[in-house]
Amino acid sequence: MSNSRAALRYAKAILNLAVENKATEALEKDMQNIVGTISGSVELREMLTNPVVKGAAKKEALLAIFKGCSKETEGAISMLVDNKRVAMLNEVAIKYLILNEKLKGKDIAHVTTAVPLTADLEKKILAKVTEMTGNKVSIENKIDESILGGFVLRVGDLQYDASIVNKLSNLKREFTSSL
């Protein structure tokens, strides 16, 4: 949990620097590239979390991998390496993207379902979430068959869990507490 808070702080600092330097769009592209690259490479994730690999080697590798990125992104990578927080580069990038969307007046609604959303259902969810938040919202649907049915909706800090697994868990808790 503390890593999440630290990542949020770094993301806020990077966003403030990007706004100050009028480089939010360039950083957004860089952060999307970082998230995609780190998510797609097991070796890179292992290298970032490996305590045996020296910080200088990590910095050199990251700057080579993300060659051509903005000077703000290079500075952010250097700062994370220098502060021995480079392992959470992916999390910082994700938090940056979320904060940047909020800055633009947009939110991302993460909807986890057991089956893919239909276009009609997606429109209804979009309308309801837009009404609730007052912001433009885009939906990101994640399929997780382990929730059995229903859905889990997460927008920023708000979460609504209407999954079958959650309801069964609540029922089990009620039964065990009544015994």
Side-chain angles (χ1 to χ4, degrees):
M1 190 58 103
S2 62
N3 274 351
S4 182
R5 272 196 234 137
L8 184 60
R9 287 187 184 131
Y10 280 107
K12 283 181 180 177
I14 294 167
L15 181 63
N16 288 339
L17 180 67
V19 169
E20 196 175 290
N21 294 343
K22 295 177 177 52
T24 54
E25 286 185 35
L27 251 91
E28 181 177 5
K29 289 177 186 167
D30 291 346
M31 293 299 166
Q32 287 171 342
N33 184 22
I34 287 171
V35 169
T37 304
I38 292 175
S39 297
S41 173
V42 175
E43 295 87 8
L44 183 56
R45 286 194 305 271
E46 288 174 356
M47 188 267 301
L48 290 175
T49 57
N50 189 337
V52 176
V53 179
K54 300 284 183 217
K58 290 179 183 181
K59 182 192 261 184
E60 187 179 318
L62 287 170
L63 292 177
I65 291 168
F66 300 113
K67 189 176 182 180
C69 62
S70 68
K71 66 179 175 26
E72 290 85 5
T73 303
E74 289 178 1
I77 291 170
S78 296
M79 175 180 58
L80 288 170
V81 170
D82 295 343
N83 293 340
K84 296 179 178 27
R85 297 288 198 154
V86 74
M88 58 184 193
L89 175 62
N90 192 46
E91 193 175 354
V92 170
I94 291 168
K95 299 278 186 196
Y96 174 88
L97 292 171
I98 292 168
L99 290 172
N100 192 41
E101 288 297 311
K102 284 189 178 186
L103 182 69
K104 291 194 248 177
K106 296 179 183 175
D107 273 325
I108 299 174
H110 300 274
V111 181
T112 305
T113 55
V115 294
L117 288 175
T118 64
D120 187 44
L121 191 56
E122 191 171 315
K123 285 179 188 176
K124 288 179 182 177
I125 292 171
L126 205 59
K128 191 66 174 172
V129 174
T130 302
E131 178 187 319
M132 287 170 41
T133 62
N135 289 339
K136 291 180 182 176
V137 180
S138 61
I139 289 185
E140 186 176 294
N141 185 215
K142 180 182 171 192
I143 310 302
D144 182 3
E145 294 174 2
S146 70
I147 68 169
L148 301 178
F151 65 93
V152 178
L153 172 67
R154 190 170 45 87
V155 182
D157 294 339
L158 303 171
Q159 181 169 321
Y160 180 71
D161 192 343
S163 66
I164 301 296
V165 166
N166 184 48
K167 290 180 182 183
L168 289 172
S169 175
N170 289 341
L171 224 101
K172 180 180 177 184
R173 215 174 303 125
E174 282 182 38
F175 280 140
T176 55
S177 67
S178 67
L179 293 177

